[in-house]
Amino acid sequence: MTASSGHSSTQAVITGAGQLPLVPLARNSGMALDLDWVARVQANTSAIERRAATIAARRSVKKAHQAAWLLKAISCIDLTTLSGDDTEHRVARLCAKARRPLDPTLERALGLRGLTTGAVCVYHEMIPAALRALEGTTIPVAAVSTGFPAGLSPLPLRIAEIEQSVAAGASEIDIVISRRHVLGGDWQALYDEMRAFRAACGKAHVKAILATGELGSLRNVARASLVCMMAGADFIKTSTGKESVNATLPVSLVMIRAIRDFHARTGFHVGYKPAGGISKAKDALTYLALIKEELGNRWLAPDLFRFGASSLLNDIERQLEHHVTGNYSASYRHATS
Amino acid sequence: MTVSEIFDTMEYGAAPESTAEAQAWLDRHPDGFGHFIGGRFTAPQDLFDSKNPATGARLARVSGGSAADIQAAVQAARKAQPAWERRGGHGRAKVLYALARLLQKHSRLFAVLETLDNGKPIREARDIDIPLAQRHFYYHAGMAQLMDSELPDQRALGVCGQIIPWNFPLLMLAWKIAPALAMGNTVVLKPAEYTPLTALLFAQICREAGVPKGVVNIVTGAGDTGQHLVAAPVDKIAFTGSTAVGRAIRQATAGTGKALTLELGGKSPYIVFDDADLDSAVEGLVDAIWFNQGQVCCAGSRLLVHEPVAKDFHARLRARMDKLRVGDPLDKNTDVGAIVDPVQLASITAKLAANTAGTTHVSAAPLPQGGCFYPPTLIENLNPADPLMQEEIFGPVLVSTTFRTPAEAVQLANNTRYGLAATVWSENINLALDIAPKLAAGIVWVNATNLMDAAAGFGGVRESGFGREGGWDGLRAYTKDRAPQRALKPTPLPAPQTDAPVIAGGIDRTCKLYIGGKQTRPDGGHSAPVFAKAGGLLGHVPVAGRKDVRAAVEAASAASGWARSTGHLRAQILYYLAENMEQRRDTLARNLDAMRGGKTGAREVDASIRRLFTYAAWADKFEGRVHGVPLRGIAIGLKEPVGIIGAICPDEAPLLGLVSCMAPAVAMGNRIVLAASQSHPLIVADLIQLLETSDIPAGVVNILTGPHEDLANTMSGHMEIDAIWSFGSSPALPRIVEHGAASNIKRSWVNHGLARNWEGPMGEGRAFLNAATETKTVWVPYGE
């Protein structure tokens, strides 16, 4: 890797989600619950683990390609704060980082400007703060909802929470499913719940958090993924970040294969969001490679792929500085979120 | 491309592995490489090129080994062997450990060199070939350490000639050299003509590891060098390569007394049931047939898909194929690299060009310009009658058909001359574990493919060869019994005295053949007189011919259900036979004494009864093993019957010798065709009566009488006989049997003109049980 390899005379404009020159996709309107399909789904854990374990060894991106891929990863980050001690100022700081995720000198050296993260993800109470801080941008505000993270508050309240968040201006809603419906094999209940959430979202896009670390098996992950997509999820998402096991490559493989199957059957593109535990640039590259291999290039864009992450961005910044300068970087050199 | 352009295209770009160190090593040998003999490199001579198949560029010049080179190497190995064996297990373990460590220390150099020479993707060389080779030396360092305590009755064979293929050059070297050295042998190894370089680098590290001079010798060259090695005065030949060459080696070594193991070709089935995780099964095919460009002896090259999911599965498969990346083997993003040589590329191309059947899908992956590349290819809707469903292509070409039922899957899977490996995909444990034992293969992978490890036996049945590499089973290929052996004197046929009367007197006794549970007359209608030691005429026995062998094998074939009987049942039947023999003890003893003279008959009958008890005891106790492989899952070494065994019984112990062949075979679930003692065959008349009143099902035991050489000739050539044992005293038998065994590469076990004390411990036990079984390694990864 050389110091000059990142310099470029052409300046391209890359902007946040919603402004990429991509053909807008028809939104997933869902389909009737197909229990036969759900029952047929298999997921062989050891085979899935083998595939997941070799993806990083099979695909490698270097130099300018690595830099471009890391920039892509930034554009797909849902920059997130989901803490009980969140304040308006804390959210403002996060939003400032979402607007300008990279140091301007790095941006210039890499030959682009206007890069933003994919979205900002907060609790309902922080939606107004986020909207204010993101004013003048197209960066969407995502709100976690439905009694996040456990999802065990009364159903009418969970639906009302969605409606209030949408009314408050959130354009993306990250809902949590009732894990008990999966663990009990009550696919109809899961479908009905997801349908109700989707309806409550209206125009806002809905991401279904499966809390995969609590579903017990990869087969359950595959089946829950399918049912949520049948019920109209725009995205399926691994985790709240609050489970003891969050996003993993094997879980991701199962979910994106479900997305591929659903697309083959219905033509709808459903997005994928791994969340929790992805904090290294190298991991982000592996995830992008996995998506490229299993779903294809169309999914490598923020309208279909997001990282739910908070500390990933800083590691990416350090790697990009290394790419530009040839020297290894330090965390403190990059603005915090 | 600029960063912003790549941001839009999201291409991988090039990720080349550096060749600097490998090139520097090659550059240090501008005059070419000599052979490694007696711890030194010889002066390079008769040079040929070793090329990079991805570019056609010459990598190095390597010496072509002559008969004199082989002779020098074998002499060096012979000289070094006694001291190497005397060094003891721990002494050898230390050297093998050092080799493992050095392979690890130079792992990247080995990997890059392997990729340059062979054309395989650097990922595979780096993540599979080299780590598995290291593992093999570590594992066998342990075997050397444990040999003294665990194999006290075994010793080294001596000097081993080893010929390895070009598809996994260093890994196959490790599979050959590590167990041989661990057990105290010395070796002369010939790497493949296309891929000699990592073997030469290995020779260098042998010096660093403190391998004594002459213990490892490497002679490079082409097929003629291999022929010289096969013809050289070595104690064993181990060969991995094509079935055609393996057959020629079987013929060339026939009757020489050289031990032989063969690891040959395959057309391994890959069975996908409708309840499988289809995406994972598709991904498994990438590892099965597009691993190493499909140039893998155990490649899952014959896809069998359950009809309900066939359309869906093939659609997923085609989509996956189109995403494979074919190209520069040194690029870390390459899935499929270069075919090893233009000759191999031409062979693949010709086989495909000759095919008009089925529907062909060629991967959409672009091919590089120049170099030896062949695109990943799928031919759907083939039938067993299509040549490409039967012939090994040894390239990145998958053929497929469909099946309706599990039984049909087994039938199609086993409809092949080969029997190396098989893969089964199903989420139903009942189905998977029912199918695995039914497949004619040495290795079965359940919901995985191409898993290999030093601790698990690797090797095939049928024309895929015999012998196992890896694990405890693999050590048998490099050891022999410690007990001293003496030459076997041919037993003379008792000579007639023309005026001798029939001794028995009374009513004439009729001895017939025993085929399919019935006493039958010989097809040829001839009988031969049998004379007593004293010269008197004892009676007549039938002269069995070719057609009687055929009838016996047909009867044995019809008795295939015996293989599925329980060990408990087989034990009961053998005990009962012993019980009945005890009842006839005096008659049997008297008749034995009449044939042979002397008074040893009773002792032989008693020994025979004990032997029946021994194998009745073993019938439910010769157990498989769970291997210690590095996997979440189990790798089981199952003991399975060989199938149909032909046995030429010893002359000198007409009853005990026959029982010693029959009982282990029957106990392990085989069917057997026995050629009784040639000099004293009349005892079978009594034995047949015993068998008729026993519970042994018709066809499990078949007994012929007649000239051993003729019967051996027909039996060894019979394609439905899976193994042949020869303990007859005719000096011509070992060659006849081993040469004939080349017909279908059947296993053979011959006495090489050496005597066996049938009464003593050498007359029974593990050697017989091992010969009567095949080890099938069944891999079952698990996890939920």
Side-chain angles (χ1 to χ4, degrees):
Chain A
M1 196 176 290
T2 61
S4 62
S5 61
H7 291 286
S8 165
S9 53
T10 0
Q11 293 270 313
V13 178
I14 295 173
T15 59
Q19 289 191 3
L20 281 163
L22 291 170
V23 180
L25 299 168
R27 195 177 170 192
N28 175 26
S29 54
M31 57 178 280
L33 177 62
D34 181 345
L35 284 172
D36 287 342
W37 186 8
V38 175
R40 269 200 313 277
V41 168
Q42 299 288 2
N44 186 283
T45 299
S46 61
I48 287 161
E49 287 173 349
R50 278 196 301 280
R51 167 67 169 154
T54 57
I55 188 73
R58 286 178 192 267
R59 293 294 180 261
S60 174
V61 281
K62 301 292 179 195
K63 300 185 180 178
H65 284 82
Q66 188 179 83
W69 279 53
L70 291 175
L71 292 168
K72 179 66 75 178
I74 292 175
S75 77
C76 293
I77 290 176
D78 277 5
L79 203 60
T80 302
T81 182
L82 294 170
S83 298
D85 57 0
D86 284 343
T87 61
E88 173 149 4
H89 290 290
R90 159 76 187 112
V91 168
R93 196 169 73 193
L94 185 84
C95 293
K97 189 65 179 172
R99 298 169 77 124
R100 184 184 286 164
L102 270 189
D103 181 278
T105 54
L106 278 184
E107 260 200 342
R108 275 195 300 280
L110 290 165
L112 25 88
R113 58 192 168 83
L115 181 73
T116 71
T117 67
V120 162
C121 182
V122 294
Y123 271 116
H124 170 84
E125 287 297 308
M126 295 295 128
I127 294 170
L131 286 172
R132 275 194 295 278
L134 292 173
E135 207 172 336
T137 76
T138 55
I139 301 172
V141 172
V144 297
S145 191
T146 66
F148 181 96
L152 287 169
S153 48
L155 183 62
L157 294 188
R158 282 182 274 150
I159 290 171
E161 188 183 1
I162 293 174
E163 288 164 351
Q164 289 192 26
S165 292
V166 172
S171 49
E172 299 179 2
I173 304 292
D174 290 19
I175 62 98
V176 290
I177 65 163
S178 293
R179 279 73 113 182
R180 65 186 189 281
H181 295 331
V182 178
L183 297 171
D186 193 348
W187 305 115
Q188 186 69 51
L190 180 66
Y191 179 85
D192 293 344
E193 175 185 85
M194 184 68 223
R195 267 283 180 215
F197 291 163
R198 161 73 200 264
C201 284
K203 282 184 184 165
H205 279 217
V206 57
K207 306 194 195 97
I209 302 175
L210 304 184
T212 55
E214 294 176 350
L215 297 187
S217 72
L218 291 180
R219 191 177 301 103
N220 271 350
V221 170
R223 290 176 176 173
S225 299
L226 265 191
V227 171
C228 286
M229 288 188 284
M230 289 172 181
D234 295 295
F235 260 73
I236 52 175
K237 173 177 170 184
T238 57
S239 324
T240 64
K242 312 291 186 189
E243 293 87 49
S244 57
V245 180
N246 295 297
T248 66
L249 284 173
V251 157
S252 298
L253 188 53
V254 168
M255 292 174 71
I256 63 184
R257 282 176 173 173
I259 290 171
R260 188 172 67 195
D261 274 1
F262 189 76
H263 176 252
R265 169 92 169 255
T266 66
F268 291 124
H269 295 70
V270 173
Y272 178 61
K273 179 177 173 184
I278 304 165
S279 57
K280 298 292 174 198
K282 191 171 170 36
D283 295 339
L285 294 174
T286 304
Y287 271 92
L288 291 173
L290 187 69
I291 297 291
K292 181 176 168 75
E293 289 298 307
E294 296 277 337
L295 282 173
N297 276 15
R298 180 58 190 86
W299 264 264
L300 295 174
D303 62 340
L304 288 177
F305 181 70
R306 299 283 178 81
F307 287 110
S310 44
S311 59
L312 172 64
L313 178 54
N314 185 260
D315 196 56
I316 292 177
E317 289 176 275
R318 294 193 306 125
Q319 302 311 320
L320 286 172
E321 184 171 25
H322 174 233
H323 172 72
V324 169
T325 67
N327 295 321
Y328 291 111
S329 181
S331 296
Y332 67 79
R333 296 173 56 82
H334 306 282
T336 185
S337 59
Chain B
M1 277 206 292
T2 65
V3 169
S4 60
E5 283 164 353
I6 301 165
F7 186 92
D8 289 332
T9 64
M10 287 298 282
E11 293 300 325
Y12 287 113
E17 178 66 52
S18 166
T19 60
E21 288 203 7
Q23 196 56 53
W25 182 77
L26 291 169
D27 290 346
R28 285 201 289 278
H29 300 86
D31 302 328
F33 289 89
H35 308 297
F36 184 67
I37 295 174
R40 293 185 320 153
F41 279 95
T42 62
Q45 60 176 1
D46 299 329
L47 294 170
F48 65 93
D49 290 346
S50 192
K51 291 180 181 169
N52 178 347
T55 63
R58 183 172 81 190
L59 294 166
R61 291 182 304 159
V62 179
S63 296
S66 64
D69 294 324
I70 290 290
Q71 191 186 7
V74 171
Q75 277 171 1
R78 183 68 68 194
K79 193 173 159 203
Q81 198 271 328
W84 177 243
E85 187 171 10
R86 277 198 310 274
R87 182 178 282 230
H90 180 59
R92 295 195 300 275
K94 286 190 285 188
V95 173
L96 288 165
Y97 174 75
L99 282 170
R101 282 289 189 206
L102 282 162
L103 280 174
Q104 218 162 9
K105 288 172 190 168
H106 300 302
S107 59
R108 194 52 58 91
L109 175 59
F110 272 107
V112 173
L113 198 58
E114 198 77 302
T115 284
L116 284 171
D117 207 13
N118 167 278
K120 67 176 62 206
I122 184 67
R123 179 191 73 85
E124 295 179 7
R126 181 195 66 202
D127 294 350
I128 299 168
D129 291 56
I130 310 304
L132 281 178
Q134 294 161 9
R135 161 98 176 122
H136 226 74
F137 278 97
Y138 278 118
Y139 181 84
H140 284 93
M143 285 303 198
Q145 180 71 30
L146 295 177
M147 184 184 184
D148 300 339
S149 63
E150 299 304 307
L151 303 169
D153 301 330
Q154 299 292 300
R155 59 168 300 186
L157 287 170
V159 175
C160 301
Q162 306 179 314
I163 302 170
I164 58 171
W166 43 256
N167 54 350
F168 297 92
L170 185 75
L171 182 56
M172 290 301 106
L173 174 149
W175 282 22
K176 294 284 180 281
I177 290 183
L181 262 52
M183 296 295 106
N185 302 277
T186 55
V187 304
V188 177
L189 178 129
K190 188 197 87 69
E193 177 188 8
Y194 299 150
T195 56
L197 298 181
T198 47
L200 294 165
L201 178 59
F202 179 81
Q204 283 191 1
I205 74 159
C206 280
R207 296 206 285 203
E208 296 172 28
V211 176
K213 288 175 185 173
V215 168
V216 171
N217 303 275
I218 311 267
V219 180
T220 51
D224 55 338
T225 310
Q227 284 176 11
H228 296 315
L229 183 52
V230 168
V234 294
D235 302 299
K236 190 229 164 78
I237 293 290
F239 172 77
T240 297
S242 73
T243 294
V245 175
R247 180 173 281 125
I249 291 175
R250 171 69 291 180
Q251 290 169 340
T253 56
T256 62
K258 291 173 194 169
L260 180 66
T261 43
L262 298 174
E263 208 75 76
L264 308 176
K267 189 79 178 177
S268 296
Y270 189 102
I271 307 169
V272 181
F273 285 101
D274 63 353
D275 65 345
D277 173 354
L278 297 185
D279 285 321
S280 287
V282 165
E283 199 58 42
L285 273 171
V286 173
D287 294 329
I289 187 65
W290 294 302
F291 171 51
N292 205 27
Q293 297 70 248
Q295 303 165 132
V296 184
C297 50
C298 56
S301 53
R302 210 158 39 100
L303 171 63
L304 309 174
V305 187
H306 209 167
E307 275 190 17
V309 293
K311 193 176 166 207
D312 184 3
F313 186 82
H314 282 93
R316 290 170 196 259
L317 175 59
R318 288 190 299 269
R320 180 68 185 90
M321 286 172 70
D322 290 344
K323 302 211 81 162
L324 291 169
R325 294 169 62 88
V326 185
D328 180 5
L330 286 161
D331 192 303
K332 292 165 191 167
N333 290 324
T334 291
D335 295 314
V336 178
I339 301 295
V340 71
D341 189 86
V343 170
Q344 181 62 16
L345 181 63
S347 159
I348 299 167
T349 308
K351 284 192 171 109
L352 270 284
N355 176 63
T356 53
T359 314
T360 301
H361 177 76
V362 177
S363 167
L367 286 196
Q369 295 296 307
C372 272
F373 292 93
Y374 198 90
T377 302
L378 164 70
I379 311 176
E380 285 177 54
N381 302 317
L382 284 191
N383 294 301
D386 294 316
L388 289 189
M389 276 293 271
Q390 301 290 343
E391 290 172 14
E392 186 176 38
I393 298 170
F394 225 65
V397 181
L398 177 69
V399 298
S400 83
T401 191
T402 61
F403 64 86
R404 295 167 295 175
T405 62
E408 189 173 63
V410 171
Q411 184 191 18
L412 288 168
N414 290 346
N415 182 209
T416 171
R417 295 176 184 189
Y418 295 109
L420 188 49
T423 300
V424 180
W425 286 85
S426 168
E427 289 299 299
N428 179 345
I429 190 170
N430 292 302
L431 178 60
L433 295 185
D434 181 49
I435 296 295
K438 291 177 176 167
L439 296 170
I443 307 139
V444 177
W445 293 293
V446 175
N447 293 328
T449 204
N450 277 340
L451 301 177
M452 293 168 211
D453 184 65
F458 184 99
V461 298
R462 296 186 178 171
E463 295 193 18
S464 293
F466 46 77
R468 292 291 177 269
E469 298 189 275
W472 292 95
D473 282 316
L475 302 181
R476 286 208 302 279
Y478 289 99
T479 53
K480 64 179 179 188
D481 287 327
R482 196 173 274 285
Q485 291 181 295
R486 59 187 169 80
L488 173 64
K489 279 184 255 167
T491 307
L493 299 183
Q497 289 176 358
T498 48
D499 56 347
V502 174
I503 294 172
I507 301 171
D508 186 45
R509 245 189 123 193
T510 308
C511 181
K512 293 188 188 171
L513 306 176
Y514 186 59
I515 295 174
K518 293 192 180 70
Q519 299 204 33
T520 60
R521 293 197 173 82
D523 183 79
H526 294 293
S527 290
V530 178
F531 298 97
K533 179 84 182 303
L537 180 65
L538 283 175
H540 293 84
V541 291
V543 178
R546 286 176 62 80
K547 289 187 175 170
D548 300 306
V549 172
R550 183 187 67 179
V553 174
E554 277 174 10
S557 181
S560 60
W562 184 245
R564 294 188 295 277
S565 62
T566 64
H568 176 65
L569 175 75
R570 297 195 295 262
Q572 283 180 299
I573 288 174
L574 286 169
Y575 281 128
Y576 185 57
L577 186 60
E579 181 188 325
N580 285 340
M581 191 176 280
E582 174 81 20
Q583 295 298 312
R584 305 281 293 258
R585 177 176 181 272
D586 295 343
T587 312
L588 284 161
R590 191 170 60 244
N591 287 344
L592 281 169
D593 289 342
M595 287 170 215
R596 264 196 318 221
K599 296 252 183 257
T600 57
R603 213 173 91 188
E604 183 167 343
V605 179
D606 290 342
S608 300
I609 293 166
R610 279 199 303 275
R611 191 128 302 159
L612 288 170
F613 259 64
T614 295
Y615 290 110
W618 270 121
D620 53 4
K621 296 176 189 67
F622 193 58
E623 291 161 337
R625 194 188 280 274
V626 176
H627 302 298
V629 295
L631 170 82
R632 190 188 65 218
I634 44 173
I636 322 160
L638 293 178
K639 297 289 185 198
E640 294 189 343
V642 172
I644 299 175
I645 297 173
I648 310 295
C649 298
D651 287 321
E652 65 275 21
L655 180 65
L656 177 60
L658 187 145
V659 167
S660 299
C661 294
M662 176 190 76
V666 169
M668 294 297 107
N670 300 279
R671 294 141 284 153
I672 190 161
V673 178
L674 297 145
S677 166
Q678 189 172 244
S679 47
H680 309 297
L682 207 50
I683 195 67
V684 304
D686 297 307
L687 189 66
I688 287 169
Q689 287 190 339
L690 281 174
L691 291 169
E692 280 190 313
T693 56
S694 77
D695 296 326
I696 294 178
V700 171
V701 174
N702 306 276
I703 301 179
L704 306 177
T705 52
H708 276 178
E709 290 178 18
D710 293 349
L711 292 173
N713 201 27
T714 307
M715 285 208 263
S716 61
H718 198 303
M719 302 285 192
E720 204 174 349
I721 293 182
D722 300 292
I724 183 160
W725 304 348
S726 175
F727 300 109
S729 63
S730 158
L733 279 175
R735 187 179 182 284
I736 290 171
V737 166
E738 291 188 334
H739 197 273
S743 57
N744 63 339
I745 320 281
K746 61 169 63 71
R747 282 173 74 181
S748 57
W749 185 22
V750 305
N751 57 10
H752 292 304
L754 295 171
R756 184 175 290 271
N757 175 3
W758 291 100
E759 274 192 39
M762 294 295 289
E764 66 179 20
R766 289 187 180 273
F768 287 83
L769 295 164
N770 285 328
T773 50
E774 294 283 359
T775 305
K776 175 185 278 177
T777 307
V778 180
W779 294 74
V780 190
Y782 52 69
E784 178 65 44

